[in-house]
Amino acid sequence: MPVITEIEDLRRIYARRVPKMFYDYAESGSWSEQTFRENSSDFDKLYFRQRVAVDMDNRSTRTSMIGQDVAMPVALAPVGLTGMQCADGEIKAARAAERFGVPYTLSTMSICSIEDVAEHTNAPFWFQVYTLKDDDYMQRLFDRARAAKCPAIVITVDLQVLGQRHKDLKNGLSAPPKLTPASIANMMTKVQWGLGMLGTKRRFFGNIVGHAKGVTDPSSLSTWTAEAFDPSLNWERIRQFKKMWGGPVIIKGIMEPEDAVQAVNVGADAIIVSNHGGRQLDGALSSIRALPSVLDAVGDKVEVHLDSGIRSGQDALKAIAMGAKGTYIGRAFTYGLGAMGEQGVTKALEVIHKEMDISMAFCGHTDINTVDRSILHVPKGFSGDWES
């Protein structure tokens, strides 16, 4: 087994073991990929303040996210097609998160269904939904999540229309994927991946096929996905979704103070500062740069979490220091999953936890709940000094 000391080690193995189509799906952004890159590189502009002669014993990263106890303030983000990165990928990732003691968020566009993941796990998982037109399907989706004892819904609000991702178009990555001679030839070189996929019955979108109206098989899926998303979304519609669900709601995709205030007004229990990993509006601010103005707008009226760009425990710690109450990893756990399956997701969580724990200690803290902006050197104008 290779020695894994950082998330980048997992990414390199992942790149070798997973078909190019699915690697590119994870490791890309829209248009020029500026936002995709800056989501990570902007963390490098924040510097830690090292403290010495401080008792570092009895450290704890334990805290809570929307009232749920967590081993560290890191959740697994919803990632579509996870079950194509590794056979039964959603089940494996959810199991790893459960053992580690952090939340797992299942995507509507998962390969394994809500019921599949619930059957193979014990800890409740969060469930992510899109803002779709079909009320009947949405209500049944909420009912299925409730039956699976999901404690919270994550509503993604930044995907009314799909951002253009050049690599996906060139690879034929869609729902369902369009196989080409080049992609088939590449898949044939990924023997371990291929054997895993041959050994599972879960190869299609388990929350949609057989559940959405008119989608009885994978061939009818593309028509549904082209028509299902609602470009006319507004805040009243989000309020309706919250009522249809009837439980805690996390709104994902907030980047501007005005939208954060609107999310509070419709009753969000938490909001996620997120630009969809740089996969929607390219040229937008990185999430970490957008975080301070969102926090200024909502104060302590709602929990504010951060997603997009986190590749290390140090990144997560910086987000917490800047005021986020929780963070999400998507690509980081996907690398682990594609590299080494369930064991790889566990390794990704271990790496991030160790980096967070040790860095916190070097900054003079032994409890993640006491970490604040005082552990950072934040450059002037980090969040921007923009003309009105």
Side-chain angles (χ1 to χ4, degrees):
M1 177 179 169
V3 177
I4 306 297
T5 63
E6 59 180 336
I7 296 300
E8 177 62 15
D9 292 334
L10 292 170
R11 189 200 62 78
R12 284 191 290 264
I13 301 170
Y14 166 64
R16 295 197 303 269
R17 293 187 176 176
V18 173
K20 183 178 185 295
M21 173 184 284
F22 302 117
Y23 173 84
D24 283 350
Y25 171 74
E27 195 63 3
S28 64
S30 62
W31 302 111
S32 72
E33 300 189 338
Q34 175 191 351
T35 302
F36 166 66
R37 294 189 301 271
E38 291 181 359
N39 273 336
S40 293
S41 64
D42 278 351
F43 278 104
D44 296 338
K45 297 178 174 69
L46 299 171
Y47 291 85
F48 290 117
R49 298 179 66 234
Q50 180 174 316
R51 302 301 304 276
V52 297
V54 176
D55 185 350
M56 294 183 180
D57 279 341
N58 302 313
R59 297 190 305 278
S60 174
T61 59
R62 299 199 66 83
T63 185
S64 66
M65 294 173 67
I66 62 164
Q68 181 174 326
D69 291 339
V70 294
M72 61 177 173
V74 176
L76 271 58
V79 177
L81 286 168
T82 301
M84 297 307 292
Q85 304 288 355
C86 176
D88 301 333
E90 291 88 2
I91 292 171
K92 292 172 181 175
R95 281 176 168 172
E98 177 181 329
R99 281 201 317 275
F100 204 90
V102 297
Y104 173 72
T105 316
L106 180 68
S107 169
T108 291
M109 299 298 288
S110 59
I111 301 302
C112 300
S113 68
I114 301 170
E115 292 79 9
D116 285 332
V117 178
E119 181 184 349
H120 292 88
T121 56
N122 295 308
F125 54 91
W126 299 345
F127 184 62
Q128 174 270 339
V129 298
Y130 297 101
T131 52
L132 307 180
K133 297 176 185 177
D134 187 340
D135 274 4
D136 177 65
Y137 174 72
M138 291 296 293
Q139 186 62 68
R140 285 187 288 110
L141 203 58
F142 290 136
D143 292 344
R144 291 168 61 200
R146 193 176 299 109
K149 297 182 169 55
C150 296
I153 288 290
V154 177
I155 302 178
T156 296
V157 294
D158 62 355
L159 210 147
Q160 291 166 260
V161 295
L162 190 66
Q164 180 165 316
R165 304 152 196 171
H166 299 320
K167 292 174 185 174
D168 287 352
L169 291 172
K170 290 170 180 173
N171 288 330
L173 199 289
S174 59
K178 297 179 179 68
L179 297 179
T180 65
S183 63
I184 292 171
N186 179 256
M187 287 179 187
M188 291 175 67
T189 68
K190 312 298 180 181
V191 177
Q192 186 175 343
W193 176 89
L195 290 173
M197 295 308 299
L198 285 172
T200 181
K201 61 184 179 181
R202 304 177 184 92
R203 302 190 195 97
F204 306 111
F205 293 89
N207 291 321
I208 301 169
V209 177
H211 295 282
K213 185 177 180 180
V215 185
T216 55
D217 55 53
S219 63
S220 54
L221 184 63
S222 58
T223 302
W224 181 86
T225 53
E227 299 173 353
F229 292 85
D230 186 3
S232 64
L233 176 70
N234 57 37
W235 288 104
E236 184 54 38
R237 181 68 169 150
I238 295 169
R239 195 188 300 273
Q240 291 173 4
F241 288 140
K242 180 173 170 59
K243 186 175 181 180
M244 290 165 72
W245 163 241
V249 166
I250 303 169
I251 295 182
K252 177 178 180 286
I254 302 297
M255 288 291 290
E256 293 294 329
E258 300 91 333
D259 290 333
V261 171
Q262 291 280 19
V264 171
N265 290 342
V266 300
D269 296 275
I271 60 177
I272 307 175
V273 176
S274 169
N275 53 40
H276 216 98
R279 294 167 62 76
Q280 286 294 91
L281 176 61
D282 190 37
L285 286 181
S286 66
S287 290
I288 191 62
R289 290 183 74 185
L291 177 64
S293 62
V294 169
L295 286 164
D296 288 344
V298 299
D300 59 0
K301 294 177 184 175
V302 67
E303 271 192 31
V304 177
H305 302 166
L306 183 133
D307 163 80
S308 302
I310 292 175
R311 302 289 190 276
S312 70
Q314 288 201 328
D315 293 343
L317 181 63
K318 288 174 181 178
I320 298 301
M322 292 290 282
K325 296 298 183 186
T327 64
Y328 295 73
I329 55 170
R331 292 180 174 96
F333 92 77
T334 300
Y335 301 159
L337 181 68
M340 300 161 55
E342 186 174 335
Q343 183 184 10
V345 179
T346 298
K347 177 55 71 173
L349 289 168
E350 289 172 350
V351 165
I352 284 173
H353 180 263
K354 184 174 184 179
E355 291 171 342
M356 176 186 290
D357 175 53
I358 293 175
S359 299
M360 177 179 72
F362 283 142
C363 291
H365 287 257
T366 57
D367 184 348
I368 196 69
N369 297 290
T370 68
V371 167
D372 59 21
R373 197 167 171 136
S374 67
I375 74 166
L376 297 177
H377 291 292
V378 181
K380 291 180 180 178
F382 177 71
S383 293
D385 183 14
W386 314 111
E387 291 186 5
S388 59

